[in-house]
């Protein structure tokens, strides 16, 4: 079934009707508020002038969006060959487009694509024989106005769309491990009986902290066992009365010195190299930390044929814990593109990925054609003009305000 799409039309600015001369009428009609207008047989908006009417629709069933107009007199169809029409749309940024029409079957077909977003001021002119009819109305979607103080309070940040360097990325999954140099096995210097133990598993110690005292079996003198590094005691293997030997009695680890290890499969080995940037993220949550691929372990895993890549993961706050699973977003290539927006600026709006342009205090959706995507920048191939000011951070605030106001039409 042919599907027509009605433009979302808001209240028109008051327009005075022009006078009528013999055999010639001109009217610039005032449109009712959005949602209150009369729908025609094709589910379009009816624009009336006396006993004459035009039904304006947007058709996009299997074709790019286009205007289709249906003419009526006394609510009976008028042959499109008897009508000449034009539609002019003026967008928020001042761009003006005029659509010409040609008769086709029982309607007038617009001769150009109606580019998204369908948000503009509309002027319709129709000549029917010696009669001229005209209407003006507003058709806004994906648009909202937010005063500057309110936008600042919501931490809305804008930027200007232009060239950017985009990194092509590859995702790898691994885990957090202690840096091999961040652990120390602590043993007794001389075999003997443990006479006192001063620290337990989980205790944080500094270098030189007393851990235990041992009575030497040879000299019968008691000597201290101290921490060789600062860190946390992760293992204790002794109690008072035990006799020490060659095995360690404590293990101390420094949790601030961690690394992320990633098994890299053969298909990706040639793309990932030491020195490349990597964003390390937890599998859940928003925590992220920048690093670089430090090195590869020399041997591959026999069963999986993976090679382990390591990236430094400084951990002064102790957030990253050994054993945690992490994702690594590796930048494997960089390229400068002529037009890009911040990746975090992009939102989902209806069936489109969009950014929000800012003109004055008004924000409006821009449906984007996207190219290469990186963690920081995404290439724009269409839908946004270079030099456009757009919402770069906290764009979800604009999306929420638009959705709250219902400023969209039913695609």
């Amino acid at each position: 079934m042919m599907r027509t799409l009605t433009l979302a039309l808001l209240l028109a600015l008051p327009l005075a009707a022009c006078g009528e001369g013999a055999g010639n009428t001109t009217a610039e009609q005032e449109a009712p508020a959005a949602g209150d207008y009369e729908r025609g047989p094709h589910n379009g908006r009816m624009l009336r002038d006396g006993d004459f009417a035009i039904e304006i629709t947007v058709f996009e069933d299997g074709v790019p969006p286009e205007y289709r107009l249906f003419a009526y007199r006394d609510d009976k169809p008028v042959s499109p060959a008897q009508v000449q029409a034009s539609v002019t749309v003026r967008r928020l940024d001042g761009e003006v487009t005029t659509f010409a029409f040609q008769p086709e079957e029982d309607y007038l077909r617009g001769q150009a694509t109606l580019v998204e977003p369908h948000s503009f001021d509309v002027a319709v002119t129709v000549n029917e024989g010696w009669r001229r009819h005209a209407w003006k109305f507003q058709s806004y979607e994906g648009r909202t106005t937010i005063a500057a103080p309110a936008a600042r309070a919501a931490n809305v940040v804008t930027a200007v769309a232009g060239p950017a360097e985009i990194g092509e990325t590859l995702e790898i999954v691994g885990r957090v491990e202690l840096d091999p140099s961040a652990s120390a096995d602590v043993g007794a210097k001389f075999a003997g009986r443990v006479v006192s133990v001063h620290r337990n598993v989980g205790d944080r110690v500094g270098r030189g902290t007393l851990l235990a005292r041992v009575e030497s079996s040879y000299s019968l003198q008691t000597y201290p066992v101290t921490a060789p590094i600062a860190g946390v005691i992760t293992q204790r293997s002794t109690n008072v009365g035990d006799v020490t030997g060659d095995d360690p009695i404590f293990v101390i680890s420094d949790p601030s010195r961690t690394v992320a290890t990633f098994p890299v499969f053969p298909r990706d080995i040639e793309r990932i190299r030491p020195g490349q940037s990597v964003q390390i993220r937890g599998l859940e949550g928003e925590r992220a930390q920048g690093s670089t691929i430090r090195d590869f372990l020399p041997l591959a895993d026999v069963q999986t044929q993976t090679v382990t890549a390591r990236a430094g993961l400084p951990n002064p706050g102790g957030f990253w814990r050994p054993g945690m699973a992490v994702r690594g977003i590796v930048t494997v290539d960089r390229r400068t593109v002529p037009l890009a927006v911040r990746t975090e600026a992009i939102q989902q709006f209806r069936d489109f990925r969009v950014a929000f342009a800012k003109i004055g205090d008004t924000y409006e959706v821009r449906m984007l054609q996207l190219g290469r995507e990186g963690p920081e920048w995404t290439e724009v191939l269409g839908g946004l003009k270079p030099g456009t000011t757009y919402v770069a951070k906290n764009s979800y605030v604009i999306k929420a305000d638009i959705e709250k106001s219902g400023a969209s039409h039913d695609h």
Side-chain angles (χ1 to χ4, degrees), residues 7 31 34 90 107 111 128 144 146 163 173 177 196 202 209 291 305 309 320 338 343 354 379 390-391 393 401:
L7 293 176
R90 179 182 293 272
Y107 57 87
Q111 298 300 291
E128 176 215 6
T144 189
I146 302 176
V173 177
E177 296 182 1
S196 63
T209 298
S291 183
Q305 291 298 293
W320 306 106
T343 298
V354 305
E379 181 182 15
Y390 71 98
V391 180
K393 293 186 178 182
D401 202 65

Side-chain angles (χ1 to χ4, degrees), residues 5-7 9 42-47 54-58 67-70 72 87 101 122 124 137:
L5 171 67
T6 304
L7 293 176
L9 305 175
H42 301 88
N43 203 36
R45 177 168 186 153
M46 295 295 287
L47 303 175
I54 280 286
E55 181 183 5
I56 181 169
T57 71
V58 176
Y67 275 126
R68 291 188 178 184
L69 307 182
F70 299 84
Y72 306 91
V87 174
F101 290 82
V122 186
V124 180
F137 54 85

